[in-house]
């Protein structure tokens, strides 16, 4: 195998994933199996956290009189999100990355990116976010908080990874006045009585 071909395949896979295309990998686990594994890992982490909390909060055990209620599932933590991101980026697992991108809590996003991602993961993540934004601009509301937090994290240490994002934004800004004109014309047409 030629290294150039492997890089092209990897880039093609990233583009296909950004387009929402799903490639079947017959050699590896299915997306459903990977998501189930991630849920199991997160459940295990939550269980361990609950055990730690129970150990530290045993002074309050006098209240327990058999009124044990099932505890609601905990929200995603900074550690679990950063672990999920790191695993997704290292393995190139776009389904796992999409699972991480479902988090919309800006505090958790910011802490996860600032304290737990290294420079190489951050650079790769910015590339993947930019790719997703370029392929599906309608995802901007979901992706912009991630991009913003990533840029604020200080983990992007050179300007090279910023160039594709800058070009993408410039293209969108250039087309904005024409879109406003079109919106105005559509507004006028829709207000006309036929």
């Amino acid at each position: 195998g030629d290294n150039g071909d492997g890089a092209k395949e990897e880039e093609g896979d990233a583009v296909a994933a950004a387009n929402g295309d799903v490639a079947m990998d017959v050699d590896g686990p299915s997306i459903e199996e990977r998501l189930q594994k991630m849920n199991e890992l997160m459940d295990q982490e939550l269980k361990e956290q609950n055990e730690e909390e129970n150990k530290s909060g045993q002074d309050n055990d006098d209240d327990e009189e058999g009124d044990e209620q099932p505890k609601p599932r905990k929200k995603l933590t900074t550690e679990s999100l950063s672990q999920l991101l790191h695993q997704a980026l290292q393995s190139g697992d776009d389904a796992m990355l999409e699972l991480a991108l479902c988090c919309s809590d800006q505090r958790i996003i910011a802490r996860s990116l600032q304290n737990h991602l290294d420079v190489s993961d951050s650079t790769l993540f910015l590339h993947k976010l930019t790719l997703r934004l370029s392929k599906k601009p309608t995802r901007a509301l979901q992706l912009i908080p991630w991009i913003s937090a990533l840029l604020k994290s200080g983990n992007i240490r050179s300007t090279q990874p910023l160039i594709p994002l800058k070009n993408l934004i410039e293209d969108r800004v250039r087309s904005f006045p024409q879109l406003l004109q079109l919106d105005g014309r559509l507004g006028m047409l829709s207000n006309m009585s036929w």
Side-chain angles (χ1 to χ4, degrees):
D2 181 37
N3 285 347
D5 289 342
K8 286 179 185 174
E9 280 180 29
E10 194 172 292
E11 186 176 304
D13 291 345
V15 170
N19 285 327
D21 297 339
V22 178
M24 295 300 290
D25 182 8
V26 292
D27 296 336
S30 69
I31 292 174
E32 180 180 1
E33 292 168 334
R34 288 184 275 180
L35 289 174
Q36 183 177 5
K37 181 68 175 167
M38 278 310 305
N39 282 333
E40 289 171 7
L41 289 172
M42 291 172 68
D43 286 343
Q44 180 63 32
E45 184 177 313
L46 290 174
K47 182 179 177 184
E48 289 170 4
Q49 287 177 351
N50 284 338
E51 289 172 0
E52 287 177 20
E53 288 174 6
N54 288 340
K55 286 179 186 175
S56 65
Q58 285 183 351
D59 296 337
N60 299 335
D61 284 348
D62 298 337
D63 304 4
E64 286 188 40
E65 295 178 5
D67 60 325
E68 207 172 300
Q69 297 176 1
K71 292 184 180 180
R73 189 170 182 162
K74 285 194 170 186
K75 289 185 177 179
L76 194 61
T77 64
T78 300
E79 285 77 26
S80 60
L81 180 60
S82 58
Q83 187 177 40
L84 183 63
L85 280 171
H86 179 73
Q87 288 175 356
L89 293 169
Q90 292 302 307
S91 67
D93 189 335
D94 285 310
M96 195 182 298
L97 187 59
E98 285 299 326
L99 185 63
L101 290 174
C102 289
C103 177
S104 60
D105 185 325
Q106 292 189 5
R107 291 178 310 183
I108 291 176
I109 291 171
R111 288 183 193 139
S112 297
L113 296 178
Q114 187 168 21
N115 299 326
H116 300 284
L117 277 188
D118 62 21
V119 173
S120 64
D121 279 349
S122 296
T123 303
L124 176 60
F125 190 36
L126 180 62
H127 172 73
K128 288 185 174 279
L129 288 170
T130 302
L131 234 170
R132 280 167 170 72
L133 186 59
S134 70
K135 298 299 177 190
K136 292 202 178 217
T138 56
R139 294 187 67 188
L141 289 177
Q142 179 193 18
L143 299 176
I144 287 175
W146 284 93
I147 293 170
S148 178
L150 186 58
L151 295 176
K152 290 176 186 175
S153 73
N155 289 335
I156 305 296
R157 304 257 168 94
S158 74
T159 57
Q160 188 65 30
L162 299 173
I163 292 171
L165 178 62
K166 185 177 185 300
N167 291 339
L168 174 67
I169 292 170
E170 285 176 352
D171 287 344
R172 300 287 185 256
V173 168
R174 260 195 304 272
S175 65
F176 188 70
Q178 290 131 353
L179 288 173
L180 281 177
Q181 281 181 336
L182 180 60
D183 182 54
R185 287 185 186 139
L186 287 173
M188 286 183 355
L189 285 173
S190 66
N191 289 331
M192 295 176 84
S193 56
W194 297 95

